[in-house]
Amino acid sequence: MADSEHSDLSEHHQRPDDHVVVIFGATGDLAKRKLLPGWFHLHVAGLLPREYRIIGSAPGSFGLTDVEFRKHARDAVSEFGISKPDNPAWPEFEQRLSFAIAEPGNTGALTTAIGRAEQEIGGSPRRLYHLAVPPAAFTSMVGMLGAADLATGSRVIIEKPFGTDLASARALNKAVHQVFDESQVFRVDHFLGKESVDNILAFRFANGMFESVWDRQHITYVQIDVPETLSIEGRAAFYDATGAYRDMVVTHLFQVLAFMAMEPPVSLATESLLAEKQKVFDALEPIDVRHVVRGQYRGYRSEPGILADSDTETMVAVRARVDNWRWQGVPFYLRSGKCMGASRQLVTLGFREPPLRMFHETGRRAPGGNNHLLIDFADPGSITIEFLAKVPGAEMVLSSSRMAFEYKDSFAKANALEGYERLMLLAMLGDHGLFTTAAGIERVWEISEPLLQEPPPVEPYEPGSWGPDSVRKLIAPYHWRLPAD
């Protein structure tokens, strides 16, 4: 593909070594919606290696020919891709695609396909495996790669969830480490691939005016709020065995909390970022079940495949605490759920109120104070600062005001990569900075044990609401930013 066809993305990124990429579960929903469209967008952007091949793989019952797989990829990119197959780059990308069946005890076709791809590329290309398969298959797939002698020197991307409790997370990590060294493993949390989540680091550490007040002396509380309007969307078997806490809080919200609470790293190098995140996880107090609300939307038990007496939560709100010098005494409120009043991804920091007696005309203060920093990390994202300002006129009357930075108005859309695209690129480069670690995952499950062992009963809430009434009591004397925003 000619350089003129590349976006300016390639000017700012390191190009990976030559690669053979294998997508396990290549006929599944994740590959269709995210991975295949993502690889093509990276190709169009000029960010992939000069030589690479992508091999789709699935068990024999889902087997495809190379031609069928290329059509499958074209349909996926046409429906879900940022870059579409009418792009002049498609024919070149399509020729790099092939398919090979693989399942435990039957890896001959895959071994042959990898060998052929490596021969076509020449030299010593790297291998990257993406396990886009159900969690129950992680252990068997990793074992299959080890048994087929395909793991040495390779890297592997593992999807969430990483276990369902501390014991299962440890068992999964043990199974993975029997085949792969930790340096070869990339555990995906697509939230961490978001441009707007990454910008938390830039916002905090590149702007002295904010980092200097990013602590318990100036901040009274932090909210990380990720409600969804969607229901369980036909995922009954997965969701009823998982619930909102395991699905969202452990996997995503604690990761965002680590970015919000971490100390300044020495550099943005992988080792420094991961070390500071781990310090946050180590400082998390075990979850106190007295400060947890579990909700279930009315009608959930009538969903196809859901038990009539299911106690699975479809919404959860948690108060977490980070017991270190910077954050001692500052509550972190985490909330996520299905069938709620809006779909948002919002971090709110509430700042301490100064004395306002001199402004006696101010009137009643806003609930939770008048000074907030709002970080909307639903791409494209925004950052808003709320403060008091004088209303024009003869008297000193104050009113709430705001200043906002909007990503969509500030940078070219062509510069944006979706979360999965950024993480796939980083995995090729061997950069772990935005991935989760075995130690971090196990620590988050460890502090979750009190809740998992003795969860409070679920409370009903109406679809389209913001959860049970007790959600408001959980955060008192503060208030949830949503739905007030």
Side-chain angles (χ1 to χ4, degrees):
M1 185 169 67
D3 288 343
S4 60
E5 294 173 353
H6 295 162
S7 83
D8 59 0
L9 277 167
S10 58
E11 299 176 8
H12 308 288
H13 290 271
Q14 176 185 351
R15 199 162 193 166
D17 297 332
D18 293 346
H19 261 77
V20 175
V21 178
V22 180
I23 304 174
F24 294 104
T27 58
D29 191 62
L30 176 60
K32 179 180 179 181
R33 291 175 177 271
K34 294 294 184 181
L35 305 188
L36 292 169
W39 284 116
F40 181 54
H41 188 216
L42 290 171
H43 175 85
V44 171
L47 296 173
L48 293 183
R50 297 191 181 281
E51 288 294 336
Y52 70 92
R53 299 292 185 274
I54 297 175
I55 302 171
S57 186
S61 57
F62 298 95
L64 301 174
T65 65
D66 289 353
V67 172
E68 290 170 338
F69 180 56
R70 289 167 182 168
K71 181 181 184 304
H72 172 76
R74 184 185 184 92
D75 292 343
V77 171
S78 178
E79 184 174 0
F80 298 106
I82 295 173
S83 300
K84 302 296 185 181
D86 58 4
N87 188 293
W90 177 258
E92 181 185 357
F93 175 78
E94 184 180 53
Q95 290 306 307
R96 298 172 188 251
L97 304 179
S98 62
F99 191 90
I101 64 170
E103 53 200 351
N106 182 18
T107 56
L110 177 61
T111 301
T112 299
I114 292 174
R116 182 170 58 248
E118 291 177 338
Q119 187 175 16
E120 291 174 358
I121 292 173
S124 301
R126 294 185 176 275
R127 297 176 187 172
L128 176 64
Y129 305 115
H130 196 143
L131 304 189
V133 297
F138 290 164
T139 299
S140 63
M141 296 300 291
V142 168
M144 178 190 76
L145 292 171
D149 196 24
L150 294 172
T152 303
S154 302
R155 295 168 178 154
V156 60
I157 297 175
I158 301 178
E159 289 290 329
K160 64 105 173 174
F162 316 106
T164 56
D165 55 19
L166 180 58
S168 61
R170 285 175 172 167
L172 176 58
N173 283 329
K174 181 179 179 180
V176 170
H177 290 156
Q178 287 176 343
V179 177
F180 293 96
D181 182 78
E182 180 67 11
S183 64
Q184 299 173 268
V185 181
F186 294 78
R187 297 172 184 80
V188 167
D189 174 4
H190 69 270
F191 267 45
L192 298 188
K194 289 173 171 286
E195 292 278 1
S196 46
V197 171
D198 246 16
N199 195 51
I200 294 172
L201 296 177
F203 184 78
R204 281 190 62 187
F205 301 131
N207 298 288
M209 71 182 87
F210 299 115
E211 175 55 25
S212 60
V213 296
W214 207 274
D215 58 29
R216 61 189 170 95
Q217 303 296 334
H218 301 90
I219 294 172
T220 57
Y221 68 94
V222 179
Q223 292 178 28
I224 303 174
D225 205 2
V226 186
E228 297 179 276
T229 58
L230 298 175
S231 68
I232 59 173
E233 296 185 291
R235 300 163 68 215
F238 166 79
Y239 201 87
D240 205 44
T242 305
Y245 185 80
R246 289 180 170 92
D247 186 39
M248 291 296 295
V249 177
V250 171
T251 305
H252 298 313
L253 272 59
F254 276 129
Q255 301 299 323
V256 177
L257 183 154
F259 273 82
M260 297 298 300
M262 68 190 291
E263 294 295 318
V266 175
S267 72
L268 295 181
T270 295
E271 295 78 10
S272 296
L273 277 176
L274 294 181
E276 297 304 333
K277 284 178 60 183
Q278 187 62 40
K279 289 178 185 178
V280 175
F281 295 142
D282 289 341
L284 281 169
E285 296 180 353
I287 298 298
D288 186 338
V289 296
R290 296 173 300 176
H291 302 293
V292 176
V293 175
R294 298 170 68 241
Q296 186 184 89
Y297 67 80
R298 295 188 187 278
Y300 173 76
R301 295 175 182 178
S302 299
E303 297 268 12
I306 301 298
L307 297 176
D309 60 350
S310 173
D311 191 51
T312 298
E313 79 280 357
T314 60
M315 185 235 64
V316 66
V318 176
R319 191 189 76 180
R321 289 193 180 275
V322 180
D323 188 17
N324 63 14
W325 189 259
R326 182 182 289 261
W327 296 109
Q328 196 276 327
V330 177
F332 285 74
Y333 297 101
L334 316 180
R335 180 175 67 172
S336 185
K338 299 288 188 182
C339 282
M340 297 187 71
S343 290
R344 296 287 301 276
Q345 298 172 15
L346 187 68
V347 174
T348 302
L349 291 86
F351 285 86
R352 295 191 183 279
E353 290 284 291
L356 294 174
R357 288 181 60 84
M358 71 179 75
F359 303 105
H360 59 276
E361 296 90 354
T362 304
R364 186 170 64 86
R365 297 186 185 185
N370 296 291
N371 300 153
H372 295 96
L373 175 64
L374 311 176
I375 302 174
D376 189 329
F377 61 97
D379 289 332
S382 64
I383 299 173
T384 302
I385 299 173
E386 294 184 340
F387 58 97
L388 288 174
K390 180 184 176 297
V391 176
E395 297 184 359
M396 179 62 77
V397 177
L398 304 183
S399 180
S400 181
S401 303
R402 57 168 50 193
M403 293 187 296
F405 160 80
E406 301 277 351
Y407 261 94
K408 62 182 176 62
D409 297 332
S410 303
F411 297 108
K413 187 175 181 181
N415 289 335
L417 292 179
E418 287 197 336
Y420 265 106
E421 295 168 0
R422 296 188 70 226
L423 294 173
M424 293 187 302
L425 177 61
L426 289 174
M428 296 184 91
L429 293 169
D431 186 340
H432 284 84
L434 296 181
F435 294 86
T436 56
T437 65
I441 287 296
E442 290 184 15
R443 175 56 184 165
V444 172
W445 282 121
E446 183 180 10
I447 64 110
S448 301
E449 283 291 282
L451 173 59
L452 300 180
Q453 291 178 5
E454 296 186 22
V458 293
E459 304 174 39
Y461 66 95
E462 295 297 328
S465 71
W466 293 93
D469 290 341
S470 53
V471 169
R472 290 193 293 273
K473 298 177 184 177
L474 173 72
I475 201 171
Y478 311 113
H479 81 297
W480 292 100
R481 183 69 212 187
L482 298 172
D485 186 35

